[in-house]
C-alpha cells in the first residue's frame, strides 16, 4: 500500500535547512526549516514557502537479488546518530519517460550502476524514495537521505558518482537541500 508524505519548507519543522542549491534547472525558494509528515487531503500546511508530495511505492528498477541485498544492508531512518539529512527532488526529461521500462532499467543499472553504487555507502547512509510524477508534482522523485555528520563526505562522493553517470544525462531539474535535525523541544 502506498503512503504519501508532504515535505513542507517553512518557518518551523523537525529539520533545519542549512542550504538549498539548484543543481539543474530552477531551485526552490529559501526556507529555514522542513516538516515531513504523512499527507492527508484537505489538511492545511500553514505558512510554507514550498510543499512537495511524494508516495512510497513499489520498487521499480531493482531485481529480486538487489532488493534482498538492500534489505540486508540498509538501516532504517530516524537513527539517533543520523542528525544530518538531504532532500533531493529530481525531474527527468521527456526522453527518459519515452523509453520503455527495460530501456530505463538498462540505463539505471546496467550502464549507470545506480543500485550498485548506492550499496557501497550502506549502512551509513539511509534513504527512502518517494514517487511524485503520478501526483502531478513538479518533480518525479523526492529522495530522502539521513546520515551521521561524519558520513557527509561519503554522501557527497555518492552524489558525485551518481551525477557522473549516463542516467543523469536525463535529469533536467535537481535541487540539493541539506538539513540538520532540529533540537527536540
Amino acid at each position: 500500500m502506498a503512503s504519501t508524505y508532504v515535505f513542507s519548507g517553512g518557518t518551523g519543522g523537525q529539520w533545519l535547512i542549512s542550504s538549498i542549491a539548484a543543481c539543474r534547472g530552477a531551485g526552490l525558494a529559501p526556507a529555514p526549516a522542513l516538516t515531513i509528515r504523512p499527507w492527508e487531503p484537505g489538511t492545511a500546511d500553514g505558512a510554507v514557502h514550498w510543499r512537495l508530495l511524494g508516495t512510497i511505492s513499489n520498487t521499480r528498477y531493482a531485481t529480486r537479488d538487489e532488493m534482498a541485498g538492500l534489505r540486508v544492508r540498509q538501516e532504517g531512518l530516524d537513527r539517533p546518530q543520523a542528525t544530518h539529512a538531504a532532500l533531493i527532488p529530481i525531474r527527468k526529461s521527456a526522453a527518459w519517460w519515452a523509453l520503455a521500462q527495460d530501456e530505463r532499467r538498462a540505463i539505471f543499472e546496467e550502464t549507470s550502476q545506480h543500485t550498485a553504487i548506492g550499496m557501497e555507502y550502506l549502512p551509513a547512509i539511509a534513504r527512502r524514495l518517494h514517487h511524485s510524477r503520478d501526483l502531478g508534482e513538479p518533480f518525479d522523485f523526492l529522495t530522502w537521505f539521513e546520515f551521521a555528520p561524519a558520513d557527509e563526505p561519503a554522501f557527497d562522493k555518492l552524489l558525485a558518482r551518481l551525477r557522473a553517470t549516463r542516467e543523469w544525462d536525463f535529469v533536467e531539474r535537481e535541487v540539493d537541500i541539506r538539513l540538520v535535525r532540529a533540537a527536540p523541544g
Side-chain angles (χ1 to χ4, degrees), residues 70-82:
L70 286 168
R71 277 193 292 278
V72 168
R73 298 200 58 204
Q74 168 100 10
E75 289 192 8
L77 299 175
D78 298 321
R79 297 170 294 161
Q81 73 275 22

Side-chain angles (χ1 to χ4, degrees), residues 43-137:
T43 302
D45 291 327
V48 298
H49 298 74
W50 43 264
R51 184 194 79 167
L52 303 171
L53 293 176
T55 298
I56 299 170
S57 182
N58 62 311
T59 303
R60 312 275 164 93
Y61 301 122
T63 65
R64 181 183 312 268
D65 288 344
E66 290 164 347
M67 291 292 298
L70 286 168
R71 277 193 292 278
V72 168
R73 298 200 58 204
Q74 168 100 10
E75 289 192 8
L77 299 175
D78 298 321
R79 297 170 294 161
Q81 73 275 22
T83 59
H84 285 211
L87 172 62
I88 303 186
I90 293 174
R91 182 178 67 221
K92 292 192 174 176
S93 67
W96 173 262
W97 296 109
L99 297 170
Q101 183 160 330
D102 63 325
E103 294 172 308
R104 291 193 304 267
R105 160 69 192 183
I107 293 168
F108 180 83
E109 193 54 47
E110 281 79 20
T111 303
S112 299
Q113 299 181 337
H114 187 115
T115 302
I117 290 170
M119 292 271 280
E120 292 178 34
Y121 296 87
L122 297 176
I125 300 166
R127 62 113 185 101
R128 183 168 67 196
L129 180 66
H130 301 81
H131 297 268
S132 300
R133 178 176 171 79
D134 293 338
L135 300 175
E137 289 288 294

Side-chain angles (χ1 to χ4, degrees), residues 139-160:
F139 295 96
D140 296 326
F141 308 100
L142 307 175
T143 307
W144 177 256
F145 300 92
E146 291 181 8
F147 43 89
D151 293 318
E152 192 155 13
F155 178 69
D156 290 335
K157 185 176 180 182
L158 165 66
L159 287 181

